[in-house]
């Protein structure tokens, strides 16, 4: 128990003896400096990096209290995010030699991967030339460092020359005042101003084309959000065409990605909590049936089959009774084949109309007339009442409510490649085969056009944020054609962010900007303006606003004219057949004579 205590004491004594007077002044300054920047923003980890051949680096003797420390050199490989606390500060001991310092800056970039906008302090006891300071700014731009200070602390305790990185419009250092007695220091200007820096954006990979405006392509809310963000923070927007396939040349892609477990550690900080979305399927709403649909719902063909059976049975019974009666009474009244085929009494009785009674009709025949009259009276009134009720209070075409009904409906579900890939990789690889066997994948603009066609054979897989966009389109045109259902939600509360390269300058400011936009409701106004822009650019034929129920008109009964023409044609054909048969009969009579 005694030996470990003695060893620790010896180590502290030995270490203290190595601290020179100049090193002591530097360490005292760093302790004060750390307290100042912790007041600016709290950090929980310090990463110290020096070159393995630098034997005089003062960081080797510095042990700040109360803060976890990671010590490494250019040979070590560490990742702060995902392993240690991401609220970190890097302190690097520069050598003044570009070859060595290049290795140190690359080590900082590797340690701060996906968090290179954290604070970085480059300290040296040497006097740095302007050329070397410019070289550091070039490396800072290459690695996308944003918050960086360079301190020349060789003149302590009298003077500390310091430079602050200004990342926009191009990385450069600005010398600031002597900070030996300073009580506050900022690594960067907290008010974002990109000072005209060019931001390169790429149209969404989900798009097949763009809507040309006076300045930029605006086809979706995402386009408007990025454009307004660029204008607000004093940047210039450059749109890359399809020939630029290099993602490193693109700062922001005009499409969003859903946060998955694979990228949650790097992207979750930039999620707008007001824009969490659900993945759902929208289907055609229930709507009023047309007269044709009403007649079809009544089962007119089935009723016509029943009436044919009733007519045939009545005609057969009447003919049978007449034949038997004539034979019993000895009357000679010829009955032709046309009597049962064209029995007007049967037609009038079935339609509930009065018909003349045959003279000297037998009791059995009168019973038959009574039965057919009762049937026609009840049937005609029942059918007319049901038809009147349907036309007065129209039936609604049923809306698809769940996945089972969607599968049975035979409806084609429209999605895009990204959503399909996400569902198959993150939710269920067999989802489309089991739940939605009929689907197609299209681009954004084609999906917009399919939506405006108002075709009842299509449903759409959308994020709830995009559904708000389409729903507002319906409100603008004044006709609600597509609806959502709670039982058609695939998954809920999906966080999403814009597609940007790792370590992008714009992740954090864009996420804050989007939060303010959604909080204020500006996004809703933008959606309406984009809808009108799309309708004008694509010359979409919007449906007329349906304000009230339309009365029945002659156009709804156009099929009756077809029925009348068909009847006239049949009558003409029958007349021709009668003439032919009569002519043949006369010819046979003359030949027999």
């Amino acid at each position: 128990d005694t030996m470990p205590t003695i060893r620790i004491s010896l180590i502290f004594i030995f270490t203290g003896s190595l601290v020179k007077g100049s090193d002591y002044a530097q360490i005292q300054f760093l302790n004060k400096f750390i307290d100042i920047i912790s007041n600016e923003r709290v950090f929980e980890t310090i990463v110290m990096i020096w070159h393995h051949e630098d034997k005089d680096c003062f960081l080797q003797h510095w042990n700040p209290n109360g803060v976890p420390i990671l010590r490494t050199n250019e040979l070590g490989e560490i990742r702060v995010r995902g392993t240690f606390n991401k609220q970190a500060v890097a302190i690097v001991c520069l050598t003044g030699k570009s070859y060595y310092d290049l290795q140190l800056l690359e080590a900082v970039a590797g340690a701060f991967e996906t968090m290179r906008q954290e604070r970085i302090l480059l300290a040296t006891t040497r006097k740095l030339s302007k050329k070397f300071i410019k070289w550091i700014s070039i490396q800072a731009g290459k690695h996308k460092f944003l918050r960086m200070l360079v301190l020349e602390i060789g003149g302590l305790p009298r003077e500390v020359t310091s430079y602050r990185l200004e990342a926009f419009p191009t990385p450069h250092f600005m010398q600031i005042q002597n900070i030996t007695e300073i009580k506050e220091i900022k690594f960067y200007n907290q008010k974002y101003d990109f000072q005209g820096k060019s931001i390169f954006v790429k149209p969404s990979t989900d798009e097949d084309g763009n809507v040309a405006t006076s300045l930029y392509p605006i086809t979706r809310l995402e386009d408007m959000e990025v454009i307004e963000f660029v204008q607000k923070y004093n940047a210039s927007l450059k749109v890359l065409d399809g020939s630029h396939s290099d993602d490193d040349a693109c700062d922001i892609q005009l499409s969003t990605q859903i946060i998955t477990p694979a990228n949650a550690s790097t992207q979750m900080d930039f999620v707008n909590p007001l824009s969490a979305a659900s993945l759902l399927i929208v289907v055609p709403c229930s709507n009023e049936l047309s007269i044709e649909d009403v007649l079809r719902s009544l089962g007119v063909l089935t009723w016509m089959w029943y009436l044919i059976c009733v007519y045939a049975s009545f005609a057969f019974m009447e003919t049978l009774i007449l034949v038997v009666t004539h034979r019993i009474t000895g009357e000679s009244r010829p009955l032709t084949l046309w009597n049962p085929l064209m029995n007007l009494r049967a037609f009038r009785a079935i339609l509930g109309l009065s018909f003349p009674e045959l003279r000297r009709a037998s009791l059995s025949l009168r019973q038959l007339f009574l039965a057919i009259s009762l049937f026609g009276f009840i049937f005609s009134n029942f059918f007319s009442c049901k038809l009147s009720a349907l036309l007065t209070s129209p039936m609604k075409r049923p809306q698809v409510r769940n996945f089972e009904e969607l599968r049975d409906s035979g409806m084609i579900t429209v999605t895009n490649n990204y959503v399909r890939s996400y569902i198959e990789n993150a939710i269920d690889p067999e989802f489309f085969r089991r739940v939605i066997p009929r689907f197609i994948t299209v681009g954004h603009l084609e999906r917009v056009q399919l939506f405006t066609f108002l075709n009842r054979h299509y449903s759409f897989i959308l994020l709830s944020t995009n559904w708000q966009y389409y729903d507002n389109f319906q409100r603008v045109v004044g006709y609600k054609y597509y609806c959502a259902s709670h039982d058609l939600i695939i998954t809920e509360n999906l966080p999403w962010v814009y597609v940007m390269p790792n370590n992008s300058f714009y992740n954090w400011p864009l996420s804050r900007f989007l939060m303010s936009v959604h909080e204020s409701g500006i996004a809703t106004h933008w959606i309406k303006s984009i809808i009108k822009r799309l309708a004008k650019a694509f010359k979409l034929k919007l449906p007329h606003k349906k304000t009230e129920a339309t009365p029945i008109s002659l156009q709804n009964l156009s099929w009756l004219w077809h029925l009348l023409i068909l009847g006239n044609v049949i009558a003409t054909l029958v007349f021709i057949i009668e003439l032919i048969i009569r002519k043949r009969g006369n010819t046979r009579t003359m030949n027999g004579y």
Side-chain angles (χ1 to χ4, degrees):
D1 298 336
T2 306
M3 286 302 296
T5 305
I6 293 174
R7 288 178 181 175
I8 293 174
S9 300
L10 289 174
I11 289 173
F12 273 103
I13 292 171
F14 182 69
T15 304
S17 66
L18 294 177
V19 179
K20 303 176 183 179
S22 59
D23 289 346
Y24 179 77
Q26 294 163 3
I27 290 173
Q28 287 295 101
F29 172 78
L30 288 177
N31 285 329
K32 179 181 177 182
F33 187 82
I34 287 298
D35 291 337
I36 291 175
I37 65 174
S38 66
N39 292 330
E40 178 195 22
R41 186 162 64 90
V42 176
F43 59 89
E44 300 183 12
T45 304
I46 296 179
V47 182
M48 298 183 184
I49 304 177
W50 63 87
H51 201 273
H52 75 284
E53 293 188 4
D54 187 1
K55 307 302 181 183
D56 299 327
C57 179
F58 54 89
L59 294 179
Q60 302 177 52
H61 313 303
W62 184 37
N63 296 283
N65 297 323
V67 183
I69 301 173
L70 299 177
R71 301 177 189 270
T72 185
N73 55 34
E74 84 285 358
L75 302 178
E77 293 184 4
I78 62 173
R79 293 289 186 272
V80 176
R81 181 184 286 274
T83 307
F84 307 97
N85 193 290
K86 61 186 178 182
Q87 304 294 337
V89 172
I91 302 179
V92 183
C93 192
L94 292 180
T95 65
K97 301 176 181 179
S98 59
Y99 176 74
Y100 287 166
D101 292 339
L102 176 63
Q103 295 176 328
L104 292 176
L105 292 175
E106 289 177 347
V108 175
F112 276 19
E113 178 64 22
T114 70
M115 47 179 290
R116 292 183 189 171
Q117 283 73 53
E118 294 298 323
R119 291 168 289 184
I120 301 172
L121 173 63
L122 307 181
T124 182
T125 58
R126 298 171 174 80
K127 185 71 174 177
L128 301 177
S129 65
K130 293 184 178 180
K131 182 178 179 181
F132 193 84
I133 292 294
K134 184 177 181 180
W135 176 83
I136 296 176
S137 67
I138 294 174
Q139 299 305 312
K142 173 183 175 182
H143 296 297
K144 298 182 180 179
F145 295 139
L146 180 62
R147 302 173 175 90
M148 178 179 284
L149 289 178
V150 177
L151 301 181
E152 297 176 355
I153 58 176
L156 283 170
R158 297 180 305 277
E159 181 183 10
V160 174
T161 303
S162 58
Y163 302 89
R164 182 173 65 198
L165 176 66
E166 300 292 340
F168 309 110
T170 57
H172 62 280
F173 280 95
M174 179 179 294
Q175 185 173 351
I176 55 179
Q177 59 183 335
N178 182 8
I179 60 173
T180 53
E181 302 297 332
I182 198 168
K183 296 183 180 179
E184 180 182 5
I185 189 170
K186 294 181 179 180
F187 273 75
Y188 66 103
N189 186 357
Q190 294 183 353
K191 183 179 180 181
Y192 281 102
D193 185 352
F194 299 135
Q195 301 180 28
K197 180 178 176 61
S198 296
I199 298 180
F200 294 92
V201 300
K202 184 192 295 184
S204 170
T205 55
D206 184 33
E207 293 189 39
D208 299 323
N210 294 308
V211 178
T213 63
S214 58
L215 292 177
Y216 310 114
I218 302 177
T219 63
R220 302 178 306 175
L221 176 62
E222 289 90 339
D223 303 343
M224 181 69 79
E225 288 176 340
V226 172
I227 291 170
E228 292 295 331
F229 165 74
V230 169
Q231 294 179 345
K232 177 177 175 62
Y233 291 108
N234 189 24
S236 61
L237 187 66
K238 305 292 184 182
V239 181
L240 299 175
D241 56 27
S243 61
H244 291 80
S245 59
D246 186 9
D247 290 337
D248 292 336
C250 172
D251 295 311
I252 304 174
Q253 185 168 301
L254 297 179
S255 61
T256 57
Q257 63 177 345
I258 300 172
I259 301 297
T260 63
N263 59 11
S265 61
T266 60
Q267 300 293 334
M268 192 58 75
D269 291 342
F270 310 117
V271 170
N272 177 9
L274 299 177
S275 63
S278 299
L279 199 60
L280 50 84
I281 300 178
V282 297
V283 296
C285 302
S286 59
N287 62 340
E288 297 179 1
L289 300 177
S290 64
I291 290 184
E292 291 78 6
D293 293 328
V294 169
L295 295 177
R296 194 178 297 111
S297 66
L298 285 175
V300 174
L301 295 179
T302 302
W303 284 108
M304 289 181 64
W305 171 249
Y306 291 157
L307 294 181
I308 290 173
C309 293
V310 171
Y311 174 83
S313 62
F314 173 80
F316 174 77
M317 289 299 300
E318 184 187 34
T319 303
L320 179 61
I321 292 174
L322 288 175
V323 170
V324 173
T325 302
H326 292 167
R327 288 199 176 184
I328 293 174
T329 58
E331 296 181 5
S332 58
R333 287 191 179 182
L335 295 176
T336 66
L337 181 63
W338 304 110
N339 287 24
L341 293 181
M342 192 58 63
N343 194 323
L344 296 182
R345 290 187 300 277
F347 279 113
R348 299 179 68 173
I350 291 173
L351 295 176
L353 303 175
S354 60
F355 59 91
E357 183 182 346
L358 292 175
R359 290 183 300 173
R360 294 178 293 179
S362 63
L363 181 61
S364 58
L365 195 57
R366 292 178 179 177
Q367 290 293 331
L368 181 62
F369 291 161
L370 176 61
I372 194 65
S373 299
L374 288 175
F375 172 83
F377 174 76
I378 296 173
F379 169 78
S380 61
N381 282 278
F382 172 79
F383 187 84
S384 62
C385 288
K386 189 170 184 179
L387 181 61
S388 298
L390 290 175
L391 296 177
T392 303
S393 180
M395 291 176 59
K396 294 284 186 178
R397 182 178 283 106
Q399 176 185 327
V400 172
R401 296 289 182 182
N402 51 52
F403 291 109
E404 183 178 356
E405 293 180 2
L406 178 62
R407 184 175 59 251
D408 296 339
S409 68
M411 201 177 295
I412 299 174
T413 302
V414 180
T415 184
N416 59 39
N417 288 321
Y418 175 73
V419 171
R420 178 185 177 183
S421 175
Y422 172 79
I423 292 174
E424 292 178 340
N425 295 327
I427 299 177
D428 183 3
E430 301 294 322
F431 178 82
F432 286 96
R433 185 184 65 81
R434 293 188 304 100
V435 182
I436 312 175
R438 300 193 65 190
F439 70 95
I440 57 174
T441 56
V442 299
H444 167 66
L445 299 182
E446 186 177 352
R447 183 173 59 184
V448 171
Q449 290 176 331
L450 286 175
F451 188 89
T452 57
F453 288 162
L454 304 181
N455 192 324
R456 298 198 61 83
H457 295 94
Y458 289 107
S459 59
F460 298 84
I461 299 180
L462 302 172
L463 287 171
S464 57
T465 50
N466 290 336
W467 166 235
Q468 295 175 7
Y469 170 82
Y470 287 100
D471 195 31
N472 274 277
F473 168 80
Q474 296 185 135
R475 295 179 183 179
V476 169
V477 302
Y479 187 76
K480 190 173 181 64
Y481 196 84
Y482 291 99
C483 293
S485 173
H486 181 74
D487 294 327
L488 285 174
I489 296 177
I490 300 174
T491 184
E492 296 181 288
N493 298 323
L494 294 175
W496 59 268
V497 293
Y498 277 88
V499 178
M500 284 184 270
N502 288 337
N503 309 299
S504 173
F505 290 127
Y506 312 110
N507 267 324
W508 180 259
L510 179 59
S511 65
R512 300 307 97 187
F513 172 76
L514 295 180
M515 186 179 297
S516 63
V517 165
H518 286 270
E519 285 177 345
S520 61
I522 298 176
T524 303
H525 171 72
W526 287 347
I527 287 174
K528 294 180 179 179
S529 65
I530 292 171
I531 291 169
K532 295 177 180 178
R533 191 190 304 269
L534 275 173
K536 181 179 180 181
F538 285 105
K539 299 179 180 180
L540 300 176
K541 185 178 180 180
L542 303 179
H544 297 289
K545 185 173 181 180
K546 189 174 181 179
T547 56
E548 58 184 8
T550 56
I552 298 176
S553 64
L554 290 177
Q555 294 179 353
N556 301 124
L557 301 178
S558 59
W559 58 276
L560 285 178
W561 298 102
H562 297 90
L563 181 61
L564 179 61
I565 294 172
L566 179 62
N568 291 334
V569 171
I570 293 175
T572 304
L573 292 176
V574 171
F575 175 70
I576 294 172
I577 293 172
E578 284 182 336
L579 291 178
I580 294 172
I581 293 175
R582 186 171 297 176
K583 183 176 181 180
R584 287 183 178 180
N586 293 336
T587 302
R588 289 176 183 176
T589 302
M590 293 175 62
N591 292 336
Y593 178 80

